[in-house]
């Protein structure tokens, strides 16, 4: 994945995905709209990268090594509550999706989603997460 130079008005993104082909596709689809600040291939690395970079949004694959999105969602919510968590996967059960949303993810997208839809959904997720955070703080 290649990264464009940081642009302040673009949301910061961490991609947590263990499939290099998917990482490459996400990079191509998002590099002009987001500042991709880090990539992680397992849950522990995802937590560490989010802790380090405090991105606006993180994309988590459900079935990564080290506990997958289930572990990462819980811990990211704890260490970086301002980061919107978006789940991206293609092989999960309905209960897994519900559990991940209950654990703090704001959205779930299936792998293979169109680039324009992915971009729009990530931005909507960031806004929704910020609104929820403001409502909780009030």
């Amino acid at each position: 994945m290649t990264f464009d130079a940081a642009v302040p008005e673009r949301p910061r993104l961490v991609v947590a995905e263990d499939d290099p082909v998917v990482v490459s596709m996400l990079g191509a689809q998002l590099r002009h709209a987001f500042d991709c600040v880090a990539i992680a291939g397992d849950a522990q690395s995802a937590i560490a990268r989010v802790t380090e970079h405090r991105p606006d949004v993180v994309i988590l694959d459900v079935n990564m090594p080290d506990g997958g999105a289930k572990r990462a969602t819980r811990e990211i919510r704890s260490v970086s509550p301002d980061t919107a968590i978006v789940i991206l996967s293609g092989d999960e059960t309905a209960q897994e999706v519900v559990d991940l949303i209950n654990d703090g993810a704001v959205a779930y997208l299936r792998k293979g989603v169109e680039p324009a839809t992915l971009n729009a959904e990530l931005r909507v997720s960031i806004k929704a997460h910020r609104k929820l955070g403001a409502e909780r703080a009030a």
Side-chain angles (χ1 to χ4, degrees):
M1 176 182 263
T2 58
F3 302 106
D4 289 341
V7 177
E9 64 272 5
R10 294 192 317 180
R12 294 166 35 89
L13 166 72
V14 168
V15 173
E17 167 63 59
D18 62 332
D19 184 335
V21 173
V22 175
V23 170
S24 179
M25 287 183 349
L26 289 171
Q29 293 171 349
L30 298 172
R31 65 176 283 173
H32 299 295
F34 290 83
D35 286 328
C36 298
V37 296
I39 300 168
D42 58 63
Q44 182 61 41
S45 297
I47 296 160
R49 297 299 78 77
V50 169
T51 301
E52 176 184 356
H53 294 284
R54 308 288 183 182
D56 297 293
V57 63
V58 58
I59 296 174
L60 295 177
D61 178 31
V62 170
N63 293 314
M64 295 180 294
D66 246 357
K70 188 75 171 167
R71 174 183 176 205
T73 298
R74 290 181 189 148
E75 293 192 37
I76 288 169
R77 180 61 45 238
S78 175
V79 300
S80 188
D82 293 334
T83 299
I85 299 171
V86 174
I87 305 302
L88 182 70
S89 191
D91 54 351
E92 67 302 314
T93 66
Q95 188 59 52
E96 283 178 306
V97 174
V98 169
D99 290 346
L100 290 165
I101 297 296
N102 286 336
D103 286 344
V106 293
Y108 164 80
L109 299 169
R110 291 199 54 86
K111 287 182 179 176
V113 65
E114 293 293 322
T117 301
L118 176 61
N119 184 331
E121 291 295 330
L122 289 175
R123 290 179 180 279
V124 165
S125 295
I126 293 167
K127 287 179 186 176
H129 184 70
R130 286 179 181 160
K131 183 177 180 187
L132 287 171
E135 289 172 358
R136 286 186 192 128

